[in-house]
Amino acid sequence: MMTPFNSNGLLLLAGLCCLLPRTKTDYHEGVYNDSNIDKFQCRKVALTISNVSISLYKEMAQESRNGNILFSPLRVIAALSMLSMGDQSNASQHILEALKLNKTGLPSAEIHKCFQYLLWPILHPPQSSLLRSGSSMFINQDINLLDEFLEGAKKLYLSDVIPISFTDSRKAKAQINNYIMKKTNREILDIIKSLQSDTSLVLVNYIIWNAKIISNFNCKFVKMEDFHLGHRNSIKIPMVNSVDVYHLFRVNDLFSMVLIYSHSQSILIYFIVPDKGRMRAAEQRLTYPHFRRMVQKLSLRMVKVHMPELSLSETHNLESVMNLLGINYVLSNDHISSVIMDDKVENPSKVISKVVLTFDDKGAIPSSTSCLESSTWANVPLFQLNRPFLIFIQDSDNYAPLFLGRVVHPRN
């Protein structure tokens, strides 16, 4: 007889409940009680971010056809949207148009409020959460920020604002790196590699997720297995073999099998594994409506899964990221100066986004390698993440896209 499953933790990645483990009380704290925020309208903003993120991903995929890609759409778009606050020129509207946020039909003030709503859960998780995220803006101490921008950066985008002297670029770089190192408990080191002495602003966004792989059926073990990199190349990596309850189905027009992990606290994690040799075709066809249609296919079933231990870290300079979308003027000095500063400044600005994502088996109690050979699991389908795959992580309460990427090498 099959062991009954527990509704509080159904899935292989139940350890990911720590991603955003909100109780009902926690969830409605603070901004979630703000009657001035229209949650339905804010979902339009989240859906727009998701659509833009797919376009951005496709551009990244063209630039890096055979490498890992990983970024946080919510963090990237929020950083750029924050720079649109201010009324001294048309720069604000230009930025919102570049990010397609004008298509929501909302006034800019409401869009900024929606970012407060969308960012709140990841910037105020419980102390026990394995997710950490933050935004820190280092501004030249001789520059006067517009009051509206300063208030909005702190209140709406929940960003630290730190005056700093850039005269000694080496000292400024060390100060920024030490600040981020302390904020992230040493998980992000040396995020700034170089800095000019005439820099006027440095904006750093980061999101870190350390997840534990577990099995709710006490059937899990780690085995060294092949991960196929392509072109007949493979590497041996630790692969967690386990069994649990998932949503598993095929999406024919993406040539892919899809495994979805869902959680009662509104997190959806999509693992999309294209058929051999069809990754590029799947990427070209991928649209955000695919994810919306996938949700309609949700149907829990027992699945045996081989999940690689992942250790991924990506850093993006947002100027180069936005250049991929053909909107390089957004981060021009003229635009930034007119939007956030009292006086026009010709000095350069830097906007950095850092993503760290790990899945591992550390700290978990292993079970026997024979557990999957039990007759209990004889007819359970097998899903193997043993070749390049796509990953998408979403807060399904507000549709905010937290992570999007492609895993080609699980240990880079």
Side-chain angles (χ1 to χ4, degrees):
M1 181 176 178
M2 186 176 292
T3 306
F5 56 80
N6 185 327
S7 62
N8 290 323
L10 300 179
L11 311 169
L12 168 68
L13 301 179
L16 302 185
C17 65
C18 294
L19 171 62
L20 292 178
R22 302 182 299 246
T23 64
K24 197 164 187 178
T25 301
D26 293 329
Y27 187 83
H28 291 285
E29 282 182 352
V31 68
Y32 281 84
N33 281 327
D34 190 341
S35 60
N36 294 320
I37 295 179
D38 187 327
K39 299 174 180 59
F40 176 78
Q41 297 293 346
C42 289
R43 287 172 180 165
K44 290 184 181 179
V45 174
L47 290 173
T48 300
I49 295 171
S50 295
N51 278 300
V52 171
S53 70
I54 299 299
S55 298
L56 179 55
Y57 171 82
K58 289 184 176 183
E59 294 296 331
M60 290 180 172
Q62 285 295 318
E63 291 283 312
S64 175
R65 295 200 169 195
N66 300 305
N68 288 346
I69 298 172
L70 185 67
F71 68 103
S72 172
L74 178 60
R75 292 264 43 154
V76 166
I77 303 302
L80 296 167
S81 177
M82 185 175 81
L83 296 177
S84 75
M85 290 186 300
D87 294 317
Q88 287 194 355
S89 74
N90 292 326
S92 298
Q93 193 59 34
H94 286 321
I95 294 175
L96 295 179
E97 288 175 0
L99 300 175
K100 313 299 183 187
L101 292 171
N102 62 313
K103 293 186 177 181
T104 61
L106 299 175
S108 58
E110 294 303 312
I111 291 173
H112 297 310
K113 281 186 181 180
C114 284
F115 274 100
Q116 181 189 30
Y117 170 77
L118 297 174
L119 289 168
W120 185 271
I122 68 170
L123 293 174
H124 293 84
Q127 190 173 4
S128 60
S129 175
L130 297 179
L131 176 92
R132 287 191 298 286
S133 184
S135 174
S136 300
M137 183 169 61
F138 303 86
I139 190 78
N140 191 317
Q141 60 189 16
D142 297 325
I143 292 176
N144 293 319
L145 292 177
L146 294 172
D147 290 340
E148 181 181 354
F149 175 80
L150 184 60
E151 180 181 358
K154 293 179 178 179
K155 180 180 178 181
L156 301 177
Y157 289 87
L158 311 170
S159 181
D160 300 330
V161 180
I162 303 106
I164 188 175
S165 172
F166 289 102
T167 305
D168 185 338
S169 59
R170 181 177 297 181
K171 183 178 179 181
K173 183 179 75 170
Q175 184 176 344
I176 294 172
N177 286 337
N178 287 337
Y179 185 90
I180 299 299
M181 178 186 70
K182 291 177 182 177
K183 292 283 284 188
T184 62
N185 294 326
R186 302 186 65 86
E187 290 202 57
I188 295 180
L189 305 175
D190 300 325
I191 192 169
I192 300 295
K193 302 298 183 184
S194 63
L195 201 61
Q196 296 175 243
S197 59
D198 60 346
T199 299
S200 59
L201 176 148
V202 173
L203 176 60
V204 176
N205 280 286
Y206 62 86
I207 185 166
I208 302 170
W209 180 22
N210 297 312
K212 304 300 177 187
I213 301 173
I214 68 170
S215 167
N216 289 283
F217 293 88
N218 298 317
C219 183
K220 175 184 64 64
F221 60 90
V222 179
K223 182 181 179 182
M224 296 301 293
E225 296 182 11
D226 286 331
F227 188 93
H228 303 282
L229 304 175
H231 305 292
R232 299 182 180 178
N233 295 324
S234 63
I235 56 172
K236 291 284 187 183
I237 63 168
M239 193 79 72
V240 180
N241 293 215
S242 70
V243 63
D244 226 305
V245 182
Y246 298 91
H247 307 282
L248 177 66
F249 50 87
R250 182 170 180 83
V251 179
N252 288 324
D253 63 338
L254 293 180
F255 319 107
S256 302
M257 289 298 297
V258 177
L259 183 85
I260 299 181
Y261 155 81
S262 62
H263 190 272
S264 60
Q265 292 172 323
S266 76
I267 300 302
L268 288 179
I269 303 103
Y270 303 73
F271 298 99
I272 303 173
V273 183
D275 299 338
K276 292 180 180 179
R278 304 309 296 268
M279 172 62 81
R280 194 160 299 169
E283 289 176 330
Q284 290 172 346
R285 290 196 174 195
L286 183 67
T287 63
Y288 180 65
H290 276 106
F291 293 102
R292 302 186 70 178
R293 290 194 292 270
M294 288 179 202
V295 171
Q296 298 172 3
K297 293 186 176 183
L298 295 186
S299 179
L300 287 172
R301 60 195 297 193
M302 298 297 302
V303 184
K304 291 182 286 191
V305 175
H306 292 198
M307 167 74 69
E309 292 192 347
L310 301 179
S311 179
L312 306 173
S313 177
E314 295 284 333
T315 303
H316 296 286
N317 182 319
L318 294 201
E319 184 168 7
S320 62
V321 166
M322 301 317 291
N323 282 343
L324 293 176
L325 294 179
I327 52 175
N328 54 321
Y329 64 87
V330 169
L331 291 180
S332 69
N333 295 320
D334 286 347
H335 280 257
I336 289 181
S337 295
S338 64
V339 170
I340 71 175
M341 302 171 187
D342 279 329
D343 302 310
K344 185 177 172 107
V345 178
E346 299 295 339
N347 298 355
S349 302
K350 185 184 289 287
V351 184
I352 299 293
S353 181
K354 179 80 171 185
V355 175
V356 177
L357 172 64
T358 65
F359 289 64
D360 64 46
D361 186 54
K362 296 183 174 109
I365 299 175
S367 53
S368 168
T369 58
S370 63
C371 64
L372 287 181
E373 299 172 4
S374 167
S375 59
T376 304
W377 319 118
N379 297 318
V380 173
L382 173 65
F383 182 83
Q384 293 179 292
L385 283 163
N386 63 354
R387 61 177 182 268
F389 60 92
L390 304 175
I391 184 169
F392 179 67
I393 301 173
Q394 179 185 48
D395 182 341
S396 60
D397 264 350
N398 52 38
Y399 306 113
L402 304 178
F403 295 88
L404 175 61
R406 175 179 68 197
V407 179
V408 174
H409 196 305
R411 310 298 289 176
N412 280 354

